Structures are given as structure tokens and as C-alpha cells.
Amino acid sequence: MSPVPNVTLNDGNTIPQLGFGVWQVPDDESYSAVTSALSIGYRSIDTAAIYRNEVGTGRAIADSGVARDELFITTKLWNGAGETWTADSVRREFDASLERLGLDYLDLYLIHWPRAVREDYIAIWRAFAELKAEGRVRSIGVSNFQPAQLRRIIDETSVIPAVNQIELHPDFEQPELRAFHAEHGIVTEAWSPLGQGGALLDDPVLARIAEKHQRSTAQVVLRWHLQIGNVVIPKSVTPYRIRQNIDVFEFKLDADDLVAIAGLDSGNRLGPDPDEFDM
Ligand code: A2P
């Protein structure tokens, strides 16, 4: 049985609170990484059309022997430049992702970026709602959306995203977005939850907390996400780290630890600013 608890989404479905992310994993490596993750006990896998690893990911899923209804598979529409989106073109991309993954339904489909300057995400969102109504995807959400864009989606369609997947780590804690999510029942899913494994994991405050709990700084960071209610999808291609990153359910940070980690927020965004990014 998987040690990972589920979080209930605003449409009544559930998502494992910890999953496995494959951003920046080449297709040929995604097979072995996802195979390791599934054998270790991960049940949620997060990919995207633009990661170009849906094929390797799908093969690993097929070969894992894990029943489809025990898995939670997410991919994302690459709403990149050069296309005016219609219900048909969204459906075409959705079908292509499913085919690459070798699946006949998805658990979660996300709009990858708001592409805010073009303001064409409403048409995409309406097409997502149709796919959900048809049962081809169980839950729909967005990624990298800011409060203004979430508000617009909700005002114009009345369909509230189940999830907003955003950059979030202890030195980029996104308090405003998290508050907006809490107010509207949107689950916060953190991408690059470990700050992409960079300097953050050498932070002295995290090192002190890690030593206190006899854990790694990465485990402390993941535990922090879980305790503040985030869904996390750490990425690793290293089997001992893949194992370490799911071994975070048998210790607990205390109130002092949580305050100390809250104090690390320096607004250090690693990825693009969603208000400006136009792919
Ligand atoms: P690798 O894939 O070589 O194991 P994020 O999920 O925040 O984007 O972070 C991913 C990065 O963090 C990758 O470079 C990954 O390296 C590294 N990483 C993942 N898990 C750990 C861990 N437990 N300890 C240290 N680094 C990790």
C-alpha cells in the first residue's frame, strides 16, 4: 500500500499529496525513472506534452503492472505560441497526449501556462470542461496562473480549476496565491518543490532542522510542503533520492521549524514570470 495520503479536490476526486515529476527527464530516461518511482510506491506521475517524455512515461506505466485505477496521471496542454485555440485543437492535443501515454483517460489535465498576454485561455478552459463532462479526464486544472487569471476563468466560466500547479519552494513561498487558492477551494500543487535541488538544499536553517530530525534537507522541504497543505511532485532520476523523497511520512516538523522555514521566503523565482511569459 502507498504511504501517501490523498487530498480531496473541489470536484470530489482525490489526488495523492506526493507524486513524481518528470520535468527535464529525457524520454529515454523517463522509462527507468518512472519504473523506479512506481516500484517504490509512487502512484501519481506528473508529465507534460512539452517535456517530450510522455512515451517513455507511458511505457513505464504499462510495464509496471500497477492497476490503472490505482494511478493518478497528469499531463499538460502545451498552449505554446503560434496557435489560436479552439475546442477542436485542444481535443487534438489531448488525444495526442493520451496516445503517447498509451492511456484511455487522464486523471488531471492542466493548461500549462496562462499565456496571459494573449488572453486565449478561456476558450481552452471551456474545451477542458467538455473533456471532463465526457469523462475523458477526471479533473481539470491550470498551471502557473496568477490570481487575476484565475479570477477571470472563474468569472467567465464558473468552472473553478481543481488545481493550480505553480513554482513554490521555501525561498519562493507564494503567500498571495496560496491564500487565493484557499479562498476558492483550489489545491496548490508545487512544481520545483526542492528549488530544483540548488543552493536551497544547502541552506543553514534547513540543515539545522534536518540534523534535528535526522533527515536530509530535501526531506525537510518536502515535509514542510505537506504540512502546509501543498501537493508536491519532486523530480529525481537517482533511485536513492526517489526513495528518500517518498520517505517523508514518518516524521513531523514542529511549530518552530515551520516558522523558521516560513522566514526563508526571499521571492527567489527560478522560472519565468507567468504575467510576462509568452512561450
Ligand atoms: P537528480 O534528478 O539528479 O537526482 P525539483 O523537484 O525541485 O525540480 O528538484 C529536482 C532536482 O533536485 C534535480 O536536480 C534532482 O537531482 C534534485 N533532487 C531530487 N531529490 C533530491 C534529494 N532528495 N536530495 C538532493 N537533491 C535532490
Side-chain angles (χ1 to χ4, degrees):
M1 222 184 84
S2 171
V4 181
N6 283 323
V7 169
T8 301
L9 302 171
N10 61 20
D11 59 9
N13 294 325
T14 60
I15 181 172
Q17 200 180 2
L18 185 141
F20 186 68
V22 294
W23 180 42
Q24 292 179 327
V25 181
D27 200 31
D28 53 344
E29 281 179 56
S30 66
Y31 180 81
S32 61
V34 173
T35 297
S36 293
L38 292 173
S39 73
I40 286 165
Y42 290 78
R43 289 295 175 263
S44 167
I45 308 292
D46 179 271
T47 183
I50 194 64
Y51 300 170
R52 308 245 184 270
N53 56 22
E54 290 174 313
V55 172
T57 297
R59 278 201 303 120
I61 291 168
D63 290 352
S64 70
V66 179
R68 177 67 185 93
D69 63 3
E70 284 179 34
L71 294 169
F72 190 100
I73 309 299
T74 302
T75 194
K76 311 181 191 85
L77 171 76
W78 182 246
N79 51 323
E83 174 120 40
T84 305
W85 290 99
T86 63
D88 281 348
S89 55
V90 170
R91 200 172 281 272
R92 192 186 63 221
E93 292 302 313
F94 177 85
D95 287 341
S97 275
L98 272 191
E99 191 173 331
R100 285 188 293 267
L101 283 161
L103 299 176
D104 55 12
Y105 72 92
L106 274 182
D107 296 279
L108 180 63
Y109 199 36
L110 304 177
I111 303 180
H112 206 143
W113 286 87
R115 219 183 171 199
V117 288
R118 293 173 190 252
E119 302 203 313
D120 62 355
Y121 51 82
I122 295 293
I124 298 173
W125 189 242
R126 292 193 200 283
F128 272 41
E130 282 176 25
L131 290 167
K132 176 170 162 56
E134 292 163 13
R136 306 204 60 211
V137 54
R138 300 194 67 216
S139 297
I140 52 174
V142 296
S143 185
N144 302 301
F145 274 50
Q146 303 276 54
Q149 298 136 15
L150 290 169
R151 210 170 274 124
R152 185 165 164 232
I153 269 201
I154 296 168
D155 288 350
E156 292 191 29
T157 73
S158 301
V159 181
I160 303 178
V163 165
N164 187 18
Q165 187 186 115
I166 55 171
E167 179 180 347
L168 205 172
H169 35 82
D171 51 357
F172 191 61
E173 296 188 11
Q174 300 258 38
E176 190 195 345
L177 251 179
R178 283 198 284 124
F180 186 96
H181 293 167
E183 194 186 323
H184 292 86
I186 299 169
V187 164
T188 302
E189 185 172 29
W191 63 260
S192 286
L194 300 172
Q196 296 176 16
L200 176 69
L201 297 183
D202 297 325
D203 181 274
V205 171
L206 294 176
R208 181 179 51 73
I209 298 170
E211 198 182 333
K212 177 169 127 186
H213 294 278
Q214 294 292 291
R215 298 284 175 158
S216 71
T217 52
Q219 287 174 309
V220 167
V221 170
L222 293 172
R223 193 64 222 172
W224 168 78
H225 281 286
L226 297 169
Q227 286 185 220
I228 66 169
N230 297 340
V231 170
V232 274
I233 45 165
K235 170 262 172 186
S236 176
V237 292
T238 316
Y240 85 88
R241 288 176 170 166
I242 297 174
R243 194 177 292 280
Q244 189 186 97
N245 292 347
I246 199 176
D247 180 18
V248 289
F249 297 98
E250 282 171 11
F251 76 108
K252 221 173 165 183
L253 302 177
D254 61 32
D256 290 345
D257 301 333
L258 294 174
V259 169
I261 298 173
L264 297 179
D265 190 6
S266 60
N268 182 31
R269 193 192 278 284
L270 300 172
D273 181 341
D275 284 325
E276 289 160 15
F277 187 50
D278 189 27
M279 290 113 115

